[in-house]
Amino acid sequence: MDEGLKEKLVNKKENGWKDLPNDKFNQIFDFCNGYMEFLNRSKIEREFVTNSVNLARSNGFRDINEMEKLKAGDKVFFVNRDKSMYLAVIGEEKLEEGLHIVGAHIDSPRLDLKPNPLYEEGELAYFNTHYYGGIKKYQWTTIPLSIHGVIVKSNGEKITINIGEDENDPIFTITDLLPHLAKDQEAKKLGNAIEGENLDLLVGSIPILDDKAKDKVKLNVLKILNEKYGITETDFVSSELELVPAFKVRSLGFDYGMVAGYGQDDKVCSYTALRALMEITIPKKTSICILSDKEEIGSMGNTGMESHVFDYFISELLNKTGENRVNLLDKVFCYSKMLSSDVDAGFDPLYASVSDTTNAGFLGKGISINKYTGARGKAGASDANAEYVAWVRNLLEENEIKYQVAELGKVDIGGGGTIAYILANKGVDVIDCGVPVLSMHAPYEVTSKFDIYEAYRTYKAFWEKD
Ligand code: MN
Ligand code: MN
């Protein structure tokens, strides 16, 4: 094909780093420094919410409950049980003309403590765990883990736990069998080699100085916990304690071009959306940002996207802008547009066989758009209309944002889902778009700084669009 024709006709999907002007290069790296710093402080959903509230307040946002009335340019947020959050910047037009929604999730795969976690065996103390979300279990052994979350006593007193992140803190780990004795284990299938019930965390080894006590190591751990947090063993039953990798987020590669860190699914899209929203002043359409919980286990529950708390938030916006009337909420959703901002599977050359390379998201080629997700013949997918895909494409093209349209893996290899279908079911035009990730759901996930910045630019352009 002659070069002129190729230039005109072929979808080039170029590497975004190519011919990048110096100032944009610096903007990308500055932005990603902020992202890495935020991610280090926000490993679980509760921490992400706390840090987002602080960021929002310092940018003029207020709790919606503090506001009697709302007008164009007002900035509000609503925190749902400390684990999910919605933010809004009220637009010039009425809400019934439709909202521009960016929805991400702030929960990530991890190990949760069981309600009765502590036991002693072989004069070592352990915490029993139950994994959360889709993990490859073998990846969670022999890495440093930290414990994050809350313990709520029966009198309501809440104790916030974060241990294993500070240099002076201890860390915790899950042991694995030495190779010398692992002949039988290594013959097992990868998915069965480490059993979920065996993902128990090593938490202590020194026995208490009491001759008569049984389970002396366990008792010593309880004594330390009582001194440090004022809790007893029973208080664990009303706790939410999450084990996450104690690794710090780091730049990856000789060129510093990538980010390696825990929980980038989907905190990379949450952070980029949040940062973009902070820069929205008076949009035409009201800008909404969703930071949801429980996506990794199916979006159920009162902090998940399936709950009606989001509808309540939009109803409150309608009430406080003085617009509300019977059945208006349904109309608002039917006229709204959404970017379901969730990560995409990045093409991994080491595992190329699972991807259709003409329909895969590549690191460094910009924001990755999934028209549909689902599995086995698009089952469970919210499949965006071509008309809406064209609208989104136009938005990206007029803002010179690098994008790629992809799907998650080859046909019948697997599949996945996001919160897209939940809003689509309400009548919103929704499409999935986000940052391509390598090693998704692993303790250490990899993204490209170029794509992170393009995601931020996408969300900002979407909210600024009429
Ligand atoms: Mn996700
Ligand atoms: Mn996920």
Side-chain angles (χ1 to χ4, degrees):
M1 193 185 280
D2 90 63
E3 278 308 304
L5 208 53
K6 190 175 168 189
E7 180 69 25
K8 189 173 156 207
L9 297 181
V10 176
N11 183 351
K12 293 190 289 297
K13 302 184 194 168
E14 280 173 337
N15 188 308
W17 294 109
K18 204 176 139 237
D19 304 326
L20 204 61
N22 248 335
D23 59 331
K24 173 133 188 223
F25 196 89
N26 294 334
Q27 283 166 16
I28 291 173
F29 275 71
D30 284 350
F31 184 88
C32 287
N33 286 341
Y35 166 56
M36 293 192 289
E37 189 273 328
F38 194 92
L39 192 55
N40 270 328
R41 293 186 283 124
S42 313
K43 289 194 176 180
I44 65 166
E45 56 279 38
R46 287 175 187 268
E47 293 165 353
F48 202 106
V49 165
T50 302
N51 294 327
S52 300
V53 167
N54 290 338
L55 182 71
R57 280 204 186 275
S58 68
N59 281 278
F61 283 75
R62 292 176 63 189
D63 191 318
I64 190 169
N65 296 315
E66 297 165 12
M67 307 287 276
E68 285 276 309
K69 285 196 161 62
L70 293 172
K71 58 175 191 316
D74 281 346
K75 302 175 172 195
V76 291
F77 63 82
F78 176 88
V79 173
N80 181 10
R81 296 172 172 87
D82 295 340
K83 295 196 285 188
S84 66
M85 178 173 180
Y86 317 116
L87 303 97
V89 180
I90 307 299
E92 282 171 13
E93 287 181 7
K94 289 188 154 193
L95 278 79
E96 69 180 280
E97 304 294 328
L99 314 167
H100 280 188
I101 305 167
V102 175
H105 67 92
I106 54 176
D107 61 318
S108 301
R110 61 180 190 248
L111 308 176
D112 286 344
L113 291 201
K114 287 192 183 187
N116 301 291
L118 185 61
Y119 73 92
E120 176 174 337
E121 196 63 60
E123 298 189 35
L124 295 170
Y126 292 91
F127 278 165
N128 239 313
T129 72
H130 195 141
Y131 65 97
Y132 173 98
I135 62 163
K136 293 167 89 175
K137 298 183 188 83
Y138 72 89
Q139 294 177 334
W140 293 76
T141 65
T142 68
I143 59 170
L145 295 166
S146 55
I147 305 174
H148 296 236
V150 294
I151 300 170
V152 186
K153 295 211 227 176
S154 59
N155 66 4
E157 185 195 341
K158 192 187 286 189
I159 300 142
T160 300
I161 308 286
N162 180 324
I163 182 162
E165 299 296 336
D166 189 276
E167 285 296 307
N168 298 312
D169 284 350
I171 56 86
F172 309 89
T173 197
I174 294 166
T175 57
D176 191 9
L177 202 49
L178 63 169
H180 316 64
L181 301 179
K183 191 163 71 64
D184 291 348
Q185 185 196 39
E186 288 189 333
K188 289 181 183 173
K189 285 187 175 170
L190 191 62
N192 304 332
I194 305 289
E195 287 178 21
E197 200 54 75
N198 249 357
L199 287 175
D200 290 357
L201 190 72
L202 186 55
V203 297
S205 62
I206 301 180
I208 201 164
L209 295 171
D210 177 343
D211 268 354
K212 280 170 262 137
K214 202 171 147 267
D215 290 344
K216 291 188 181 64
V217 179
K218 171 180 167 177
L219 195 57
N220 197 35
V221 167
L222 284 173
K223 180 168 168 275
I224 293 165
L225 291 174
N226 185 260
E227 285 164 3
K228 193 170 163 71
Y229 302 114
I231 59 159
T232 65
E233 188 176 15
T234 312
D235 291 324
F236 279 113
V237 303
S238 49
S239 70
E240 283 181 354
L241 294 171
E242 307 175 10
L243 310 183
V244 297
F247 313 135
K248 291 264 175 290
V249 186
R250 304 292 289 267
S251 289
L252 171 65
F254 288 114
D255 51 20
Y256 290 76
M258 292 173 278
V259 173
Y262 163 73
Q264 298 200 73
D265 175 7
D266 182 35
K267 297 182 187 80
V268 66
C269 297
S270 303
Y271 178 79
T272 45
L274 187 67
R275 277 288 305 273
L277 190 72
M278 296 303 114
E279 289 162 26
I280 303 301
T281 47
I282 306 183
K284 199 101 173 203
K285 298 260 195 290
T286 291
S287 308
I288 304 287
C289 179
I290 297 171
L291 303 175
S292 72
D293 181 29
K294 297 283 181 277
E295 192 275 345
E296 296 294 356
I297 57 169
S299 295
M300 303 296 177
N302 57 15
T303 58
M305 205 59 229
E306 293 269 16
S307 87
H308 289 211
V309 180
F310 181 64
D311 298 25
Y312 164 62
F313 174 68
I314 303 300
S315 295
E316 279 293 272
L317 295 182
L318 288 168
N319 291 334
K320 293 189 174 186
T321 51
E323 262 185 74
N324 216 355
R325 58 176 195 270
V326 175
N327 295 335
L328 186 58
L329 188 62
D330 290 334
K331 181 183 174 191
V332 171
F333 286 135
C334 289
Y335 281 82
S336 292
K337 292 183 168 66
M338 175 176 178
L339 300 179
S340 165
S341 52
D342 207 340
V343 295
D344 191 14
F347 172 75
D348 187 338
L350 300 183
Y351 299 95
S353 66
V354 302
S355 298
D356 161 14
T357 50
T358 51
N359 285 284
F362 287 78
L363 263 66
K365 294 195 175 182
I367 189 154
S368 197
I369 294 175
N370 287 169
K371 184 176 181 296
Y372 49 84
T373 55
R376 298 172 309 282
K378 300 190 181 180
S382 139
D383 197 346
N385 301 323
E387 290 84 347
Y388 184 53
V389 183
W391 185 91
V392 171
R393 215 187 116 191
N394 180 255
L395 169 81
L396 297 167
E397 286 167 6
E398 75 184 4
N399 285 281
E400 293 180 352
I401 293 167
K402 279 244 176 342
Y403 72 92
Q404 40 190 338
V405 181
E407 66 174 30
L408 196 140
K410 275 184 180 166
V411 176
D412 287 340
I413 286 283
T418 65
I419 62 171
Y421 76 94
I422 302 164
L423 280 293
N425 287 350
K426 294 183 198 289
V428 178
D429 267 324
V430 187
I431 195 161
D432 279 303
C433 66
V435 175
V437 177
L438 301 182
S439 307
M440 195 195 291
H441 285 200
Y444 223 39
E445 299 174 316
V446 174
T447 54
S448 160
K449 290 183 180 177
F450 179 81
D451 304 331
I452 293 170
Y453 196 68
E454 292 303 84
Y456 152 76
R457 291 181 63 221
T458 299
Y459 307 141
K460 190 159 179 250
F462 174 69
W463 278 319
E464 285 171 343
K465 174 90 174 167
D466 291 354

